Amino acid sequence: MRFAREADDGGGAAGEVARGDDDAGRSVGNAALLDPQALGYGVVAFVSLSVDREQSTRERELERQIRSFPEIVECYTISGDFNYPLKAVARDLKELSSFLTDRLLHVSGVAGVRSTICIKEIKPLAPLPVSER
């Protein structure tokens, strides 16, 4: 596999994962890192989503719906005022606005959203710092 040859200089953990030789359970899947701009996604937004406390018993359903939106490329659960920080992509601001107001805000349990538009990406998703043991 080409990825394995490029990722590994001779039998290390990075090459094992790239080849799929992950018998230690370190790999959770494979994905290609693609340039959002090249695919027509001109807007990257960080969205803070807060949950209605009365709807907290329906957390699994809310998370299922979040996973179903292709616009959301990352999501985490955190403590604090906003429960779910999301990373979303859209072709333009109009599309982002439509997604937030017409779809995300209508998900049962969502109390509010706050979005921040990314101006410039400084360090994109990077590989984990894997060291040999």
Side-chain angles (χ1 to χ4, degrees):
M1 175 188 281
R2 192 177 113 239
F3 293 131
R5 285 192 308 272
E6 292 176 3
D8 187 21
D9 61 354
E16 291 173 13
V17 172
R19 284 190 304 272
D21 299 339
D22 185 32
D23 58 334
R26 294 176 291 212
S27 177
V28 293
N30 296 314
L33 298 178
L34 303 174
D35 179 5
Q37 293 278 336
L39 295 173
Y41 295 105
V43 176
V44 174
F46 297 95
V47 180
S48 299
L49 185 143
S50 60
V51 177
D52 181 356
R53 293 186 193 274
E54 294 177 13
Q55 296 286 332
S56 64
T57 59
R58 301 184 62 197
E59 183 177 306
R60 300 248 189 273
E61 175 60 20
L62 172 69
E63 291 175 5
R64 185 196 65 74
Q65 289 189 33
I66 288 171
R67 282 190 296 273
S68 76
F69 291 124
E71 297 89 346
I72 298 173
V73 295
E74 291 182 51
C75 176
Y76 303 89
T77 301
I78 61 170
S79 61
D81 295 335
F82 286 88
N83 309 99
Y84 295 92
L86 315 171
K87 182 178 178 183
V89 295
R91 298 196 184 282
D92 53 35
L93 290 174
K94 184 177 179 182
E95 186 176 276
L96 176 66
S97 177
S98 176
F99 169 68
L100 295 176
T101 59
D102 298 339
R103 296 173 61 206
L104 191 58
L105 274 170
H106 290 281
V107 172
S108 180
V110 172
V113 298
R114 181 174 61 197
S115 62
T116 304
I117 306 301
C118 177
I119 302 299
K120 177 178 154 184
E121 184 177 64
I122 305 301
K123 182 178 180 181
L125 181 63
L128 291 174
V130 178
S131 62
E132 300 299 323
R133 293 182 199 184

